[in-house]
Amino acid sequence: MATLICGSLAFDTITTFDGRFAEHILPDKVHILNISFLVPTMRREFGGCAGNIAYSLALLGGEPLILGALGADGQSYLDRLDALHIPRCHVGVLADSFTAQAHIITDRDNNQITSFHPGAMGRAHELPVPLDAGVDLAIVAPDGRSAMIDHAAQLAAADIPFVFDPGQGMPLFDGADLRDFIDKASWVTVNDYEAELLVERTGWGLDDIAKRVRGLVVTRGDQGCRIWGDGHTSTDLPGVPAQAVCDPTGCGDAFRAGLLFGLSRGWELADSCRLGNVLGAEKIAVHGPQNHHITLSGALLRLRQVYGRAPQAD
């Protein structure tokens, strides 16, 4: 059965600043902020949350099905999906828009400043959830505001369990919106910063959110993640040591691919998140969100090495 990935497809322009943002951004001067950073390295990568998640899920042998929009400049992305054998039958191409574009600056501490042009992503709501595609699991990842709202509603109406992943889309929604997403979702996943925003905007504590869903996951970078399962009590899962720390772009998406793979096979939430930690560590060791390589057998081996256990993959 397919896993539907509702989210953005984008081109990422990734640059590196050799210093630290904190040394150049003065907190008492942010009201007159006018600053530039010299970025001696630059790469253009395939990105977007849906594309990144689908890439890692396909590496594991999952069945990703992307629901997202490209612009008139998106042919190279379509060619890439074909080369990766990722179906693109539900990828829309909008001739009067650009593909979404992210411009990312990463400093030496792996902090990031990102600007984002939504382009075709802003009309992704024109693409409905394919209810006849054999989907038994989905994720609503960052996308256009209307697309995230509509796709969550369509999945809930069809009784298709889904992960709500607000990510960079968090600023698009107020507390009422976010509470509605949570009540429709089966799982919620955020990073530790997003978790604070989610609590602030919904007025619900993390324990309260966990009681409304099957599972809540808060990722914590190299510290692993904290999860709330069906018992509604939190558990900390340690991170997986990375062979190198090169580029954090797309690490969260790689984690979500591991999470989805495990959930699609009926694994417990903890084991699914452990696999997510493995994928995140694999991704951060290379530049770009879609350039890491790992097989399912390699991921299971890493699970055994780090955690002393690995579920059956079938």
Side-chain angles (χ1 to χ4, degrees), residues 240 267 270-278 297-311:
V240 173
W267 292 7
D271 285 329
S272 301
C273 290
R274 291 185 182 103
L275 181 60
N277 286 339
V278 168
S297 60
L300 294 175
L301 175 60
R302 192 73 174 127
L303 277 174
R304 296 186 190 98
Q305 291 172 337
V306 175
Y307 297 111
R309 55 167 292 156

Side-chain angles (χ1 to χ4, degrees), residues 250-264:
C251 286
D253 295 328
F255 177 95
R256 282 147 182 79
L259 171 65
L260 289 168
F261 182 88
L263 293 176
S264 71

Side-chain angles (χ1 to χ4, degrees), residues 121-132:
M121 189 187 81
R123 291 171 53 195
H125 60 279
E126 298 175 11
L127 308 171
V129 168
L131 299 179
D132 58 351

Side-chain angles (χ1 to χ4, degrees), residues 6 22 27 39 42 46 76 89 91 95 109 114 139 148 168 184 200 203 206 222 250 254 258 271 273 305 307:
C6 309
V39 288
M42 185 179 80
F46 296 98
S76 61
C89 47
V91 175
D109 293 328
T114 301
I139 184 169
M148 293 180 72
Q168 304 98 318
K184 286 183 169 68
E200 177 185 321
L206 293 177
D222 61 358
D271 285 329
C273 290
Q305 291 172 337
Y307 297 111

Side-chain angles (χ1 to χ4, degrees), residues 49-85:
C49 295
N52 296 344
I53 295 169
Y55 174 83
S56 289
L57 187 55
L59 290 180
L60 296 174
E63 299 177 54
L65 189 64
I66 295 173
L67 182 64
L70 291 169
D73 56 342
Q75 185 59 50
S76 61
Y77 215 134
L78 295 174
D79 293 342
R80 175 171 176 78
L81 294 176
D82 289 343
L84 294 170
H85 304 292

Side-chain angles (χ1 to χ4, degrees), residues 1-30:
M1 299 291 281
T3 298
L4 186 69
I5 304 172
C6 309
S8 61
L9 295 166
F11 294 117
D12 291 343
T13 300
I14 302 171
T15 60
T16 302
F17 173 54
D18 289 335
R20 294 182 171 90
F21 297 143
E23 296 172 351
H24 297 268
I25 299 175
L26 305 177
D28 60 336
K29 301 295 184 183
V30 293

Side-chain angles (χ1 to χ4, degrees), residues 166-181:
Q168 304 98 318
M170 187 85 74
L172 300 174
F173 306 108
D174 61 19
D177 294 326
L178 293 168
R179 289 191 293 270
D180 188 59
F181 275 120

